[in-house]
Amino acid sequence: MADLAARPALLRTARSRLRLRPGQAGVVTAGLVLVVAVVGSLLAPLVWPLDQSAVALDQTRSAPSWAHLAGTDDLGRDVAHRAVYGLRVSLLVGAVAALVATVLGGVVGGIAGTLGGRVDRILMRVVDTIAAMPHLLLGIFIVAMLRPSLGAVIASVGLTHWLSTARIVRSELLSLRTRPFVDAAINGGAGRRRVLVRHLLPHVLPRLALATTLMIPHAVWHETALSFLGLGLPPHLASLGNMINDGQGSLLTGAWWASLAPGAVIVVVTLAIAVLAARWRDRLDPRVRAELHL
Amino acid sequence: MTSSPHLLADDVTVGYGRQVVLDGVTLRVDRGETVGLRGPSGCGKSTLVRVLALLHRPDHGRVSIDGTPVDGVRYAVPVGLRTRVAVLFQSPRAAADPRLSLDDLIAEPLRAVRTPEPTIRERVAELTDLVGLTPDLRARRPHAVSDGQLQRACLARALVHRPDYLLCDEATAMLDASTQAHVAAVIRDYQRTQHAGVLVITHDEILLNRWADRVVGLADAARTHT
């Protein structure tokens, strides 16, 4: 009897556990997409190796089929296969460039915010000056000075995107510095380093991590834009930007699929990261949201 | 004036921009006495506390502790000197790092001066007992306790280095009556047993008259000028 009575209650709990609150379906989907993208691009060389320079001139521009799910490009290369490797490169560039930008911005903003005064004014004028230039143009300038390579693309994106991070960290530190709990710490005998490590950084780091995450999709787009302009990776290497660039030639001959898969991958993956970051942002307090201008 | 040990703000002037907040204020707190400070809102009482606590550099004038003038403020003040003047701030919410548990909050000043951990535990237990924080409260973070409980923790923190002077900046204004009475009693006891000098700022005239040995109006402390 007890079993019979308990069963519906159990079922009900299971169902309510699975039922998602409004808006959660999007977050779950985004999470799944991201997991598949990251795991897929990590495991790709093991399970589905690709010879980057191989071509198959007897299979050029074949339409999507079971053999080639996203068709082949004008050199007979499988578009789906190369898109996976393109995503690998894009995620790597996006993550590393965002990290470079965060570290650089964190250090500059950190110095400006902790020291304040003249150092702060000088550093922030430098930031303003760089921010006044179109950052894609600056990025192109940086790649042009270096040889087109993975490192050059990362440098180009990383070195042009630290400005907003520097501003966030600086303003956060300046406002934290005047909080009474910092006064209380100094009054209690804490030195500069202790206050920084114990009371300031722990408040800044979560915001910094969020800023980095929000920057990844942006960095991915930049890598794509640079490759599309022919300034990114060497042309034989699969990158999403290279593939879209290659595909535009095929587009005129009716082979629309050559750009479709890499384009779709960029949109879906960056959207997934943005959705997750937005969710995270919403969990922080409203003041942070205003600071991140979102 | 006698030469007993005292905390002195001597002819202190502070301005923010073009607005003068403190104009030639002189205030002396002797060890063993409780001085009440009275004055309308915005007259610079809190600024005076920050100057006395060596947290704000006056534009003119200086602070001296037991007859020794102190140069510099904040980090520039030697730790041994800084910790002799403790502050109990008006808002415990603003004065407590939201990330630290009440125990860590109280222990933090001891950790900052590298006190051995067993000594810290002993001292924190002693102080939480004194201010009336139960063990289950001690592990909580500021957001999980009331203003009164948090202010008790802040009081424990202020007393952790056994300061010679304690500055209370409207420290009981946000508390309920019973907590207010308890906090005041703890401060009074401390003042008597440690022979400490206490400066009390409050709008509560009754509390002020009952608590303070003498009451000073901030306007009286300021230099009359033409």
Side-chain angles (χ1 to χ4, degrees):
Chain A
M1 285 301 277
D3 274 1
L4 282 175
R7 195 173 267 172
L10 261 176
L11 270 178
R12 231 176 291 133
T13 339
R15 218 180 290 145
S16 67
R17 272 197 193 143
L18 271 179
R19 196 185 298 142
L20 302 166
R21 280 193 297 278
Q24 262 190 334
V27 174
V28 171
T29 314
L32 286 176
V33 166
L34 201 60
V35 167
V36 169
V38 171
V39 171
S41 50
L42 282 177
L43 294 182
L46 298 175
V47 296
W48 199 14
L50 170 73
D51 180 359
Q52 296 267 14
S53 49
V55 292
L57 293 174
D58 53 336
Q59 300 176 25
T60 58
R61 291 173 195 160
S62 55
S65 64
W66 284 114
H68 303 287
L69 284 177
T72 60
D73 64 6
D74 53 1
L75 292 171
R77 300 173 293 191
D78 186 272
V79 172
H81 198 180
R82 286 178 70 81
V84 172
Y85 281 77
L87 177 64
R88 232 172 106 78
V89 171
S90 291
L91 283 181
L92 180 72
V93 170
V96 177
L99 213 60
V100 167
T102 306
V103 170
L104 199 58
V107 167
V108 172
I111 292 173
T114 355
L115 297 182
R118 193 175 298 164
V119 177
D120 173 40
R121 281 198 294 277
I122 292 171
L123 284 177
M124 284 304 116
R125 288 307 80 76
V126 171
V127 167
D128 290 343
T129 310
I130 300 175
M133 297 181 233
H135 65 294
L136 183 59
L137 206 61
L138 203 59
I140 290 171
F141 179 69
I142 293 171
V143 200
M145 290 200 306
L146 308 163
R147 217 154 33 93
S149 66
L150 202 62
V153 175
I154 290 173
S156 156
V157 181
L159 294 178
T160 51
H161 287 77
W162 55 275
L163 306 163
S164 58
T165 316
R167 283 179 176 151
I168 292 169
V169 171
R170 169 193 175 261
S171 67
E172 187 64 24
L173 283 176
L174 284 181
S175 98
L176 281 169
R177 262 186 355 157
T178 60
R179 300 271 283 275
F181 71 75
V182 172
D183 280 346
I186 296 171
N187 183 245
R192 225 178 256 280
R193 190 188 303 168
R194 177 111 193 147
V195 168
L196 186 68
V197 172
R198 188 85 170 140
H199 300 289
L200 301 182
L201 289 185
H203 288 270
V204 176
L205 289 180
R207 281 135 218 237
L208 209 53
L210 175 60
T212 313
T213 315
L214 285 165
M215 207 186 296
I216 292 175
H218 190 80
V220 170
W221 282 88
H222 261 270
E223 181 277 324
T224 314
L226 286 173
S227 295
F228 180 78
L229 293 170
L231 292 161
L233 300 175
H236 73 280
L237 285 181
S239 99
L240 295 175
N242 276 350
M243 292 179 69
I244 296 174
N245 189 16
D246 289 346
Q248 54 166 353
S250 313
L251 209 55
L252 297 174
T253 62
W256 47 266
W257 52 84
S259 294
L260 183 69
V265 166
I266 292 179
V267 171
V268 171
V269 173
T270 53
L271 197 62
I273 299 174
V275 165
L276 290 175
R279 181 70 167 199
W280 184 10
R281 178 201 62 206
D282 289 347
R283 294 174 66 116
L284 290 174
D285 59 287
R287 200 163 56 87
V288 186
R289 268 179 259 171
E291 274 163 19
L292 290 169
H293 308 294
L294 289 161
Chain B
M1 277 197 177
T2 56
S3 58
S4 64
H6 60 272
L7 176 67
L8 176 71
D10 188 14
D11 194 17
V12 164
T13 298
V14 176
Y16 295 113
R18 289 172 64 183
Q19 195 191 351
V20 177
V21 179
L22 294 176
D23 190 3
V25 170
T26 297
L27 182 75
R28 173 178 163 147
V29 180
D30 279 40
R31 287 199 57 178
E33 78 166 339
T34 300
V35 177
L37 185 63
R38 192 174 45 196
S41 295
C43 75
K45 298 190 296 290
S46 294
T47 302
L48 184 58
V49 164
R50 284 171 53 79
V51 169
L52 281 169
L54 311 172
L55 290 168
H56 189 99
R57 187 193 301 279
D59 301 328
H60 180 264
R62 71 195 331 183
V63 172
S64 62
I65 299 176
D66 297 347
T68 315
V70 183
D71 291 315
V73 286
R74 297 170 83 85
Y75 301 110
V77 183
V79 172
L81 212 52
R82 242 191 272 165
T83 53
R84 292 187 55 195
V85 184
V87 190
L88 191 54
F89 292 93
Q90 176 174 11
S91 161
R93 292 273 157 231
D97 189 333
R99 289 182 47 266
L100 301 183
S101 71
L102 299 196
D103 253 1
D104 285 335
L105 189 79
I106 301 164
E108 186 55 30
L110 293 173
R111 295 212 173 98
V113 298
R114 300 210 170 83
T115 313
E117 241 0 89
T119 318
I120 292 179
R121 272 196 295 277
E122 220 171 275
R123 183 88 179 112
V124 171
E126 184 188 318
L127 282 165
T128 45
D129 215 32
L130 180 75
V131 298
L133 284 175
T134 53
D136 70 302
L137 285 173
R138 292 171 48 182
R140 293 203 205 162
R141 297 221 233 150
H143 66 85
V145 299
S146 70
D147 279 352
Q149 289 160 340
L150 195 53
Q151 190 63 306
R152 285 166 195 256
C154 286
L155 175 59
R157 173 179 64 181
L159 299 182
V160 79
H161 282 306
R162 295 194 180 83
D164 294 334
Y165 302 96
L166 179 64
L167 315 174
C168 307
D169 184 4
E170 299 195 38
T172 56
M174 293 171 83
L175 311 180
D176 62 82
S178 75
T179 311
Q180 201 171 50
H182 186 236
V183 165
V186 171
I187 295 172
R188 243 192 321 254
D189 275 358
Y190 179 80
Q191 183 257 322
R192 281 196 203 114
T193 51
Q194 296 286 317
H195 197 61
V198 176
L199 179 70
V200 177
I201 297 178
T202 172
H203 285 299
D204 188 339
E205 288 282 340
I206 302 165
L207 186 71
L208 206 57
N209 290 328
R210 210 168 48 197
W211 189 355
D213 299 321
R214 63 188 173 94
V215 177
V216 182
L218 192 54
D220 312 331
R223 172 181 59 197
T224 46
H225 55 101
T226 49

